[in-house]
Structure formats: C-alpha cells, structure tokens
C-alpha cells in the first residue's frame, strides 16, 4: 500500500512575502501545516476528530530543501503525503511545485501526537493513520539534525517576547514564528542578498505566551547555526545553508 | 458614473486566526489591502504600473466596523470599490461578507499617493482613478478620528522592535503589523473574552526597520485608546470599541 497524495493550489500574496517579493520561510512552514490539515480534513480527520481522541498533532522536526522560493503573485501547488509512521512518529513529505510541475521546495517533517491529559508524547492512534494509507514501519527515515552552536563562537543575540498573536487556534505558539525569530537576527542586507537552500530545525521544548526568548546565531561561511532559548532551556535549534541571489 | 465593485473569495486558514479561532485584525487589514491590489491588477493598474508613474499608494486612515470576525475554515467574500477621490485623497470602501451575503465587516480607507522622488504626498494621477469609475469630488467623506490619549491616564506600555519580516515588498512596514503591536498590549484574557466592534486608526509617521517603537494603551470601559510612538514622534493613533463575547 502506498500513501495517498493530496494537492491544493496556493497563490502567494503580498503579506506572505518579504521585501524582495519572495515567500518567507515562516509562511512556507505555515503552508506545510495548512496542506497537512487540509489533507486530514479531506479524509475525515479534521482537528475536532483528532482532539476527540485526546491528542493533538505536533511537529518536532523539519528538513526543507529549497530550489527557489515562490514569488509574489505566483500560484504554486502544495503537495503532501503521510508517507510512513511507527508507534510514536509519523514521517510526512511535502512538495511545492511551480506551474510547470517543477519542484521549488521539498520538505520532510516528523510529527508526533501529544496527549492533552499528560502533555506528553502518546502512541499514535491507528485510526489517525489508516485513512492516509501510511506505511507502518519500524524504520522511519531520519532527518538530518541541526548542528549545536560551537562553544567558543561569536554569537549574535536578539531577544523576542512571545506575543498573544503568536498563539494559534490549538493554544500553542505557531511554529512558523520561530523562523521570524531565527532569521531576524541576521542583517537585512544578508537576507536580501541570500536565499536559504537547506533548513534543518528541531523543536525541543515548547515556548509559551509571555516568555522572553533569545534567538542566537553563529554565522560561518554559507551556513548559519541558530538556537532559540528560554532562559537556559533550548526551545529549538536550526541550521540554514544559504546561496547568494 | 458609479465606482466599479470588485469581489473575490477568501478562505480563513489557521495562521490567520488567533487562539479563539477568529480572524485577527492584522489579517483583516491585510485582506483589505489584498482586495484593493487585486482590483487594481484586474483593471490593468498593477503595482508596476503605479510605480511607473513615480508614486506608490499608502493608507493614512481606516475606519472598520465589525459585526462578527470570520472564523477558521469560513470562506468569506471580500468586496471593495474606490468610491470617490479628490486631488490628494482617495476614499475606498470594503465589505467582508459571509456565505449568505451578510456583512461581517464594513471598512473605509483613505489612500494617498506618495512620490518616490520627494517622499511626500503627490497629486493623485488621473490615470490611476479613471479605470475605477471613481467619482471626483471636492467633498470626500471624513472618517472619524481616533482620540488622543488623555494626559493624566494610566498608560500601559510595551516596546517592540521593527523586524526585517515586518517590511513588505514595497519596502515599507506593512501597516497590518501595527495591529499586532496595538493589541498585544492588552491582557490575553481580555482579548479572548472581547471582540472589537469599531476600529479607527490614523497613520501619522512611518516607522522603519530596526526602529524601537512603543505601543501605549489606555483602557476605559469598553474602549481602548492606543498610540504607537518612535521616541516622542507619534507613528499611529487608534481607538477600538469592544464588546464581550
């Protein structure tokens, strides 16, 4: 059996782009979650159904490879499938395609179900995976891990406070906001002149409304190493490879 | 002659809503600009054409009246017309309609053209208004002005730094971000338990990337009075009326 693919069109509009007119990484991640949700709803697995089982889906890791970020006004196709899963982890793949069907971005995500009762990772309910035609396997693909920041590096730090509007309908901070915190530490001119080609991110601990987070970055050649911390606790680590525009 | 109306559908998705599952005011304002842009493009007045005339459109004031904020998953109709204009100001109206054609929100906006050469308000080029069937008039409707903050009031203040991703494709801070700064000063529980019914905002001075802004609010009964400042300069003032959910 092979997992069902789901596609939907998406038009890139001005508030989804940066000042170069390209889709932001934060919005790209929003679109990955959107197409996942929409596939779930299409298969009768909407949020209400998932929550009814006492769990909620949470992403723990992404690996995103970008050929070209979509531009303002471009209509792209979002495509996904829930490729495989085991007892605790679901592996999902994504494609962003241009009008000619060329892949602009390819992403992989690791999802887990969190129990509302225990606030811990729960066994994935079978009824949440069966409709996807997802393969049950003991060996899931592993996503490349982001690198830890070197101890003696020159670290650039910016503080951010988690805002009310960073929280989405499931009561959690929308993961996409991490990308604004991560990348805003880099100089504007660098962001204008470079495009991310490979993004690895791992979410380790949840941040909450009102938390003060620090976004730390080490810049070495064509790579930036990031971490988001709340006090001394690491909330997320990420590595981004860049190319010159 | 009467101004041409333009409509388009919009589906409210999870990253456009707050933790109560309602469209945020920031996103509502994004949608007002989106439908304006789309009408312009539809009439051959896209951003490239506007910029070719040496000017760019900027909003100076909004008055928004909300009956009900659209909910997650709801498909609404965005409707607009460029009702009237004079030498320096264009008056535009907006409606957000539900599936039954009921008005969920009605908004009015005052737009001006800024000269790229002088960075000042320019006479609106006639060729930018003619295609809309917009009425040229000496007497434009006046939008209600937001109130100034009382001198002796109990002011709540929060600082925000303008981020790279707050700048949109025209090189300016997207006005919608003002609403995140304005409303994030209010307690989360207040925002969860109340809905804005009437929003009056006036943009007085531009904020720039890297600026530290302060968002100040005075809360009295069912009304909040806001200002955004850069140092001692007022960037925007706003008044919001609220109702209990």
């Amino acid at each position: 059996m092979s997992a069902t693919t789901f596609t939907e069109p998406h038009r890139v509009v001005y508030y989804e782009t940066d000042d170069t007119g390209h889709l932001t990484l934060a919005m790209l991640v929003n679109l990955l979650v959107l197409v996942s949700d929409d596939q779930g709803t299409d298969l009768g697995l909407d949020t209400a159904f998932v929550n009814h089982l006492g769990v909620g889906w949470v992403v723990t890791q992404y690996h995103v490879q970008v050929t070209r970020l979509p531009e303002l006004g471009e209509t792209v196709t979002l495509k996904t499938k829930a490729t495989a899963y085991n007892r605790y982890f679901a592996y999902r793949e994504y494609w962003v395609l241009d009008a000619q069907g060329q892949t602009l971005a390819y992403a992989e995500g690791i999802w887990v179900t969190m129990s509302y009762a225990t606030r811990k990772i729960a066994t994935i309910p079978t009824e949440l995976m069966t409709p996807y035609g997802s393969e049950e396997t003991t060996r899931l693909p592993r996503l490349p891990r982001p690198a830890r920041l070197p101890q003696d590096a020159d670290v650039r730090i910016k503080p951010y406070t988690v805002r009310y509007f960073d929280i989405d309908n499931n009561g959690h901070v929308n993961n996409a906001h991490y990308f604004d915190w991560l990348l805003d530490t880099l100089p504007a001119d660098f962001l204008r002149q470079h495009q991310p080609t490979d993004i690895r991110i791992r979410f380790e601990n949840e941040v909450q409304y009102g938390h003060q987070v620090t976004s730390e970055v080490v810049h070495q050649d064509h790579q930036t190493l990031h971490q988001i911390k709340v006090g001394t606790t690491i909330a997320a680590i990420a590595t981004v490879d860049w190319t010159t525009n």
Side-chain angles (χ1 to χ4, degrees), chain A:
Chain A
M1 189 171 67
S2 150
T4 312
T5 61
F6 178 84
T7 63
E8 64 179 299
H10 181 80
R11 177 171 66 122
V12 176
V13 297
Y14 84 97
Y15 54 80
E16 301 173 349
T17 64
D18 63 20
D19 76 336
T20 72
H22 291 89
L23 186 72
T24 65
L25 271 190
M27 194 50 70
L28 176 60
V29 167
N30 275 333
L31 296 179
L32 303 184
V33 176
L34 179 66
V35 68
S36 308
D37 280 359
D38 285 340
Q39 180 175 33
T41 302
D42 187 58
L43 294 170
L45 305 167
D46 62 10
T47 307
F49 179 83
V50 177
N51 294 351
H52 170 75
L53 297 172
V55 297
W57 282 115
V58 174
V59 175
T60 62
Q61 212 177 337
Y62 282 120
H63 179 213
V64 185
Q65 295 168 265
V66 177
T67 308
R68 174 174 74 74
L69 284 168
E71 286 172 49
L72 178 58
E74 190 170 357
T75 294
V76 296
T77 298
L78 309 175
K79 177 177 162 183
T80 189
K81 62 177 173 179
T83 312
Y85 73 109
N86 64 22
R87 193 168 158 80
Y88 290 110
F89 300 97
Y91 169 79
R92 196 180 253 285
E93 289 176 282
Y94 302 92
W95 295 261
V96 179
L97 309 170
D98 71 9
Q100 285 71 47
Q102 297 293 308
T103 299
L104 302 179
Y106 168 72
E108 303 158 280
I110 300 292
W111 293 67
V112 299
T113 47
M114 300 282 287
S115 158
Y116 282 109
T118 66
R119 307 294 293 173
K120 292 202 172 115
I121 291 179
T123 307
I124 299 175
T126 314
E127 54 266 60
L128 284 189
M129 298 310 305
T130 310
Y132 290 108
S134 197
E135 186 199 359
E136 189 170 5
T137 173
T138 48
R139 291 182 69 87
L140 277 191
R142 287 187 179 230
L143 306 197
R145 285 188 171 234
R148 299 269 158 203
L149 269 61
Q151 290 284 355
D152 56 348
D154 186 15
V155 181
R156 194 181 162 108
I157 301 181
K158 270 193 171 180
Y160 298 92
T161 302
V162 181
R163 302 174 183 175
Y164 176 71
F165 294 104
D166 294 335
I167 312 169
D168 64 17
N169 189 229
N170 66 15
H172 299 284
V173 171
N174 176 346
N175 279 345
H177 294 296
Y178 284 81
F179 287 87
D180 289 335
W181 302 331
L182 290 169
L183 301 186
D184 184 57
T185 55
L186 297 167
D189 280 345
F190 177 85
L191 292 168
R192 285 192 188 101
Q193 290 157 14
H194 293 79
Q195 187 198 270
T197 55
D198 188 296
I199 303 101
R200 307 180 275 294
I201 188 165
R202 203 177 134 90
F203 301 101
E204 303 200 340
N205 287 284
E206 209 181 333
V207 300
Q208 310 276 353
Y209 169 65
H211 274 167
Q212 167 120 354
V213 304
T214 51
S215 178
E216 306 184 350
V217 63
V218 172
H219 192 161
Q220 38 194 31
D221 301 326
H222 288 285
Q223 195 172 69
T224 52
L225 310 181
H226 302 263
Q227 63 189 14
I228 303 287
K229 293 192 338 197
V230 180
T232 56
T233 303
I234 292 180
I237 57 171
T239 302
V240 183
D241 296 342
W242 301 86
T243 186
T244 310
N245 279 342

